[in-house]
Amino acid sequence: MLALLLVLRLIHILAAATLVGSVIFNYFLLRPALRLIPPAHAVVIAQRVGSLFTYTGWTALVLLFLSGLLQLYYTGRLWLLISLDLYTHGPGRSLALMLLFWLITVTSSSIMTFGLRPKLMKKLTVSSNPTLADVEKRRADQISASAWLDRWQLVNLITSTLALIAGASIAFGGLF
Ligand code: HEM
């Protein structure tokens, strides 16, 4: 049982490190670097890296949820999630905070993956005979989607970091 809990804890910590590490890399290193190269190249790199990041980010979010739930289950604390007792002590409040920030991260990731990225990836098919207006409209949509992606990436950066801080504080009695 102890070995199982250790494995779940390691999965949880590795997934948290992967998620927070990659959003920090994306926001503070990749984003400014893309500004320094020609836009046509930047779009291709942003599309490729974005696709990879979609897989790693979602895998980390799913693993965080499953390893978190299983840790609660195997320590007999799963019931806390549906009880007000969760909020009566510091560690419980920080656990709730971690869950809330996870939920916000999942929401902003969904907006990026299913709302904004398809607009960024949109290709004009030659067979549809696009007009200049079509090409310009797609370009304007892509620029707007890219600006919104930046904003939601910042949301992800803040919420996943706050989830990490709340999680790390649990073993020390919680944040408040
Ligand atoms: C972005 C999402 C999340 C991040 C960054 C995160 C991060 C962390 C961190 C850093 C720890 C401390 C690890 C340790 O010292 O063992 C932790 C502990 C934990 N997390 Fe999360 N977590 C997230 C989401 C979740 C979710 C969704 C759940 C539950 C469904 C969950 C349940 C737990 C549990 C049960 C612990 C162990 C608490 C204890 O020490 O008793 N976490 N988390």
Side-chain angles (χ1 to χ4, degrees):
M1 176 60 95
L2 223 55
L4 179 64
L5 279 174
L6 175 65
V7 170
L8 289 172
R9 189 176 186 186
L10 288 178
I11 292 175
H12 202 77
I13 292 173
L14 280 175
T18 305
L19 181 70
V20 178
S22 49
V23 288
I24 288 176
F25 172 82
N26 255 352
Y27 198 80
F28 289 115
L29 302 175
L30 183 64
R31 203 177 53 100
L34 288 180
R35 298 245 158 92
L36 304 175
I37 56 175
H41 294 186
V43 167
V44 177
I45 296 176
Q47 286 177 345
R48 297 275 154 83
V49 177
S51 301
L52 290 174
F53 182 64
T54 305
Y55 297 125
T56 52
W58 278 109
T59 307
L61 283 169
V62 170
L63 284 177
L64 278 164
F65 184 68
L66 293 180
S67 59
L69 273 192
L70 286 171
Q71 281 185 76
L72 290 175
Y73 176 75
Y74 286 115
T75 49
R77 293 177 295 166
L78 198 56
W79 61 273
L80 266 176
L81 294 185
I82 47 158
S83 150
L84 286 179
D85 285 359
L86 183 66
Y87 307 98
T88 57
H89 59 309
R93 284 192 288 272
S94 288
L95 186 81
L97 215 58
M98 186 171 56
L99 266 165
L100 173 72
F101 286 128
W102 174 83
L103 209 64
I104 304 176
T105 311
V106 167
T107 309
S108 66
S109 302
S110 303
I111 293 171
M112 288 194 279
T113 306
F114 306 113
L116 297 170
R117 271 190 64 72
K119 282 190 189 155
L120 201 67
M121 305 290 283
K122 200 166 151 195
K123 291 196 174 74
L124 292 176
T125 48
V126 184
S127 55
S128 69
N129 216 354
T131 61
L132 189 62
D134 290 335
V135 176
E136 271 171 7
K137 162 113 182 37
R138 184 189 69 143
R139 174 121 182 87
D141 281 354
Q142 282 184 330
I143 290 171
S144 148
S146 162
W148 277 104
L149 271 171
D150 277 0
R151 291 177 195 126
W152 285 109
Q153 258 172 17
L154 181 62
V155 172
N156 255 6
L157 175 73
I158 294 170
T159 55
S160 58
T161 305
L162 289 176
L164 184 122
I165 292 170
S169 77
I170 294 175
F172 298 86
L175 284 175
F176 55 95

